[in-house]
Amino acid sequence: MDKFVIQGGGRLKGEVEISGSKNAALPILAAALLGEGTSVLNGVPDLADVRHMVDLLGDLGAEVSRGDDGRMEISVTDESHSHAEYDRVRKMRASICVLGPLLARRGKARVAMPGGCAIGSRPINLHLRGLRALGAKIDLDGGDVIATADRLRGSSIFLGGPFGSTVLGTANVMSAATLAQGTTVIESAACEPEIVDLANFLTRMGAKIRGAGSPRLVIEGVEALNAAEHTVVPDRIEAGTFMIAAALTNGEVTLRNCCTDHMMAVVDKLREVGVIVEQTNGAAVASSVRRLEPADVTTQPYPGFPTDLQAQLMTLLTLADGNSAITEKVFPDRFMHVAELLRMGADIRKEGPTAIVTGVRQLVGAPVMASDLRASAALVLAGLVARGQTTIQRVYHIDRGYERIELKLRSLGANIERVSD
Ligand code: EPZ
């Protein structure tokens, strides 16, 4: 297993290219199963999770090729196997988003239940409720979801849950509804930019979708969808991570291929803390030159502050001049990074779904352990600014969602090495 060795200190300066969004690419790759012909995707990031999805599509009869320029071609040549096996799904929970496309296109799907992960139990009850509302027969057997439907029927569905909307649940039900007979209304749909991107891809395939980006989606079913070409939106979570890296090190970083329009809650909060964020056409410049101010934040479904940047913001607030309260409303247990940040000298106290962060003068490098994707990113950020050396074990977690992060950071002047154990 690889680890990162980081020598703290030094300001990050320069330019970095933000990759395409992992959380847009995954459901869009799954939706390619709906199309007749060869779909072409541009801007798909080269990540472990994407490679897992490509392997899964191979199991499901799709041939996927990636050119040197990152251009991906997906053509479904064999629709006889519709089983997403546990060994695949357990490695990447987002595999569940093949369920809707398989069911709509082939009338059947067997997909392993994803199980939990470090940030929570990750149920899929809302996915299943939505697909049942479209007329699917859903059984559970041996840890697998077995879904069948001769022809899905349009329906009106409330898809909200105890934590608000569900991103991949919306992706599954919206994708399935594109081929249902009649019109489907999804109320309390996820509004994330990644869902809008998926809706744009489906529309290019011939789907009829209104309201993408709003809590109310209206989908008019069509007979068939064709393959299409699409470019994936930039990754707003990677962009936010690099903005925080610039601020933490009192540096100045230009982020190319950055859509700040998808990051208004993030930019608003960073400016409150004292980060300077300037927007130019298709890019953003993040910097910080003075002590950081404390701030309170609550994570919410889009357009609220994203849970996927909660850990990274916590690292920033460990050095703010006062007390901050971070409340996690999407994944209440998403605090695996706290124990590791404490090892680096942070002052954080957990109070249920809230972490109280008291700013300290400096973090101190230490050996720490990555536990999940975004917690790992928070530890890398802490290592960049800590005094001395930080080693981060199990960096396979970070490779799931960041394309060669150590190379991008090194190009900005960071002292970070990947070392194979
Ligand atoms: C997506 O996960 C993202 N993953 C997550 O990013 C992100 O944290 C999450 O949305 C929230 O924004 C991908 O897009 C691949 P949810 P998803 O369904 O769709 C509860 C990352 O770091 N819920 O929106 O699985 C659930 O427990 C990853 O890139 C139900 O109760 O999340 C959670 O509390 C981590 N029943 C809340 O809803 C359900 O059927 C939001 O979950 C589904 C979800």
Side-chain angles (χ1 to χ4, degrees):
M1 281 193 274
D2 291 355
K3 63 184 177 183
F4 283 156
V5 178
I6 306 171
Q7 299 297 337
R11 296 180 166 185
L12 297 192
K13 286 190 181 299
E15 289 198 359
V16 69
E17 181 85 11
I18 299 301
S19 303
S21 163
K22 164 179 86 79
N23 291 351
L26 295 175
I28 286 172
L29 282 163
L33 292 168
L34 287 161
E36 198 71 43
T38 299
S39 286
V40 175
L41 296 180
N42 302 298
V44 176
D46 183 14
L47 302 169
D49 272 10
V50 169
R51 291 191 286 274
H52 282 314
M53 180 59 83
V54 167
D55 291 344
L56 175 58
L57 292 181
D59 295 349
L60 299 170
E63 288 175 15
V64 185
S65 63
R66 179 196 274 272
D68 295 340
D69 57 356
R71 172 189 161 97
M72 283 184 110
E73 293 191 0
I74 306 108
S75 55
V76 183
T77 53
D78 173 3
E79 298 190 296
S80 58
H81 299 283
S82 299
H83 185 183
E85 301 197 5
Y86 178 58
D87 192 44
R88 281 268 191 251
V89 177
R90 70 179 178 81
K91 291 173 186 159
M92 193 204 38
R93 328 179 33 267
S95 307
I96 193 65
C97 62
V98 301
L99 179 57
L102 285 175
L103 183 61
R105 167 82 184 182
R106 304 182 188 180
K108 62 181 179 183
R110 183 174 184 132
V111 180
M113 301 268 280
C117 69
I119 68 175
S121 59
R122 312 302 293 274
I124 60 167
N125 59 308
L126 299 174
H127 300 234
L128 303 184
R129 174 145 65 89
L131 295 175
R132 280 196 180 98
L134 293 175
K137 181 176 180 300
I138 306 269
D139 295 308
L140 302 181
D141 180 28
D144 290 349
V145 172
I146 299 162
T148 51
D150 294 335
R151 177 76 194 268
L152 295 171
R153 294 184 313 279
S155 172
S156 290
I157 306 163
F158 176 75
L159 208 53
F163 300 96
S165 50
T166 163
V167 174
L168 290 185
T170 301
N172 257 332
V173 178
M174 176 173 68
S175 298
T178 59
L179 292 179
Q181 194 155 21
T183 300
T184 296
V185 175
I186 302 176
E187 188 60 83
S188 192
C191 305
E192 273 70 5
E194 295 76 29
I195 290 296
V196 175
D197 208 34
L198 172 62
N200 290 339
F201 176 60
L202 291 167
T203 301
R204 286 206 173 98
M205 297 175 84
K208 293 186 168 47
I209 300 171
R210 297 197 312 273
S214 83
R216 188 179 180 89
L217 292 175
V218 181
I219 303 113
E220 283 178 54
V222 295
E223 287 304 310
L225 294 178
N226 298 309
E229 177 154 4
H230 183 76
T231 298
V232 170
V233 290
D235 193 316
R236 61 193 169 102
I237 305 303
E238 183 190 28
T241 305
F242 276 95
M243 286 180 180
I244 292 171
L248 267 172
T249 60
N250 282 348
E252 180 170 312
V253 174
T254 298
L255 296 83
R256 290 196 307 271
N257 191 37
C258 169
C259 181
T260 49
D261 188 45
H262 293 163
M263 306 175 64
M264 292 179 77
V266 175
V267 172
D268 175 68
K269 189 54 65 182
L270 292 182
R271 284 174 172 159
E272 182 185 339
V273 174
V275 182
I276 301 158
V277 180
E278 288 147 340
Q279 297 155 275
T280 60
N281 54 335
V285 181
S287 60
S288 164
V289 290
R290 60 178 178 75
R291 281 287 289 163
L292 301 167
E293 295 298 321
D296 294 343
V297 66
T298 298
T299 65
Q300 292 163 325
Y302 194 87
F305 189 91
T307 175
D308 291 349
L309 277 169
Q310 179 258 107
Q312 300 92 314
L313 181 71
M314 184 182 287
T315 295
L316 185 66
L317 294 173
T318 64
L319 295 172
D321 203 3
N323 295 325
S324 304
I326 299 177
T327 301
E328 176 54 71
K329 286 277 192 188
V330 179
F331 292 108
D333 298 329
R334 192 174 196 170
F335 289 110
M336 295 290 283
H337 41 290
V338 170
E340 301 305 304
L341 289 171
L342 291 176
R343 285 179 47 74
M344 299 179 73
D347 181 349
I348 306 167
R349 191 176 79 251
K350 273 273 280 136
E351 299 279 345
T354 298
I356 308 295
V357 183
T358 301
V360 295
R361 294 298 297 166
Q362 188 171 46
L363 295 177
V364 182
V368 290
M369 189 75 74
S371 55
D372 58 272
L373 169 53
R374 306 304 175 180
S376 318
L379 296 178
V380 170
L381 294 173
L384 294 176
V385 73
R387 173 168 52 82
Q389 178 173 292
T390 298
T391 55
I392 304 174
Q393 304 280 352
R394 301 182 182 173
V395 294
Y396 60 83
H397 287 294
I398 205 165
D399 291 333
R400 297 188 48 186
Y402 290 88
E403 200 171 14
R404 293 184 290 280
I405 193 169
E406 77 275 15
L407 301 183
K408 291 188 178 183
L409 287 170
R410 276 229 296 278
S411 74
L412 297 171
N415 185 337
I416 177 172
E417 293 291 333
R418 179 187 292 260
V419 176
S420 293
D421 258 348

